[in-house]
Amino acid sequence: MVTFTQLLTFTIAAVLITATPGPDNLMVLGMGMSKGRRQGIAFGLGCAVGCLSHTLLAVLGISALVAASPFAFTVLKWVGGVYLVWLGVNALRHAGQSAKVSSIDAGQDSTRALFFKGVFANAINPKVVLFFLSFLPQFVVPAQGGVDLQLAILGLIFAVQAGMLFAALAYFAGSIGAWLTRRPLASVWLDRIAGAVFVGLGLRMVGSR
């Protein structure tokens, strides 16, 4: 149902986007710096698991859309492509401006509580919902069949790679935070790379038939 090329392209794009300084990974980094490795890892894994709720919405909604109207699915991909281009242009215009890492006051919460806080924070974020509904369809090929399975696999891959990156961020939070502070241009280039990925994906979809 899912080709190796699909998996490779999607994984590369997902890693680049996840590694870009943004609300989720900066919260994980701040948690690791202020509360410790275990707390940061727990919160980061929770954020990654929260992605699965958006995957479920995408599987249910997009699969139904494909079954009802292939044309409507094409429109969704086109609109999603425009949205990704918009995200990419904003990332390029404001590169580096979102990379400020701040400490997080998590009180005396246990690692279990922090895990569920991460799940909840990610699951209720409407921007993440919109992102998933725009991002995942760009890698789905309806002609291969099993659209719901394709979406589920891609969403699971996104959650797994996000969990791995967030755990690494939390584990090395002190070193990474200090490195970013000394090298502000690093976050600028990460934003530029992610912006280029967004624009490239969006233009590919807008220009495709």
Side-chain angles (χ1 to χ4, degrees):
M1 297 293 183
V2 181
T3 67
F4 175 77
T5 301
Q6 271 179 287
L7 293 178
L8 180 62
T9 305
F10 177 81
T11 302
I12 292 174
V15 169
L16 288 174
I17 290 166
T18 305
T20 304
D24 282 350
N25 51 20
L26 291 181
M27 283 194 296
V28 173
L29 191 57
M31 185 71 73
M33 291 172 62
S34 61
K35 298 300 176 183
R37 289 175 173 173
R38 289 183 60 190
Q39 289 78 2
I41 290 173
F43 184 80
L45 292 178
C47 288
V49 171
C51 293
L52 297 179
S53 65
H54 307 305
T55 299
L56 178 60
L57 289 176
V59 169
L60 296 176
I62 296 173
S63 297
L65 189 62
V66 172
S69 172
F71 174 76
F73 177 71
T74 300
V75 172
L76 174 66
K77 292 189 72 174
W78 200 89
V79 172
V82 173
Y83 177 67
L84 291 178
V85 170
W86 180 79
L87 287 178
V89 171
N90 273 324
L92 293 172
R93 287 180 58 196
H94 306 293
Q97 294 184 16
S98 62
K100 183 179 179 181
V101 181
S102 57
S103 61
I104 296 177
D105 183 11
Q108 300 300 317
D109 288 342
S110 65
T111 53
R112 180 179 179 181
L114 289 172
F115 172 82
F116 286 108
K117 276 190 174 183
V119 173
F120 185 71
N122 192 292
I124 66 171
N125 190 336
K127 291 184 178 180
V128 181
V129 176
L130 187 58
F131 169 75
F132 263 69
L133 291 176
S134 301
F135 184 64
L136 291 184
Q138 310 305 320
F139 297 89
V140 172
V141 183
Q144 294 175 188
V147 170
D148 52 350
L149 181 59
Q150 290 186 56
L151 287 166
I153 291 173
L154 295 177
L156 181 60
I157 289 174
F158 191 96
V160 170
Q161 64 83 31
M164 294 173 65
L165 284 179
F166 288 163
L169 274 176
Y171 189 84
F172 298 105
S175 300
I176 294 174
W179 187 81
L180 286 174
T181 301
R182 293 194 304 267
R183 297 173 177 82
L185 280 179
S187 62
V188 172
W189 279 104
L190 284 173
D191 278 342
R192 287 175 177 173
I193 291 171
V197 170
F198 279 132
V199 172
L201 289 173
L203 290 178
R204 185 190 70 169
M205 191 57 247
V206 171
S208 65
R209 296 184 179 179

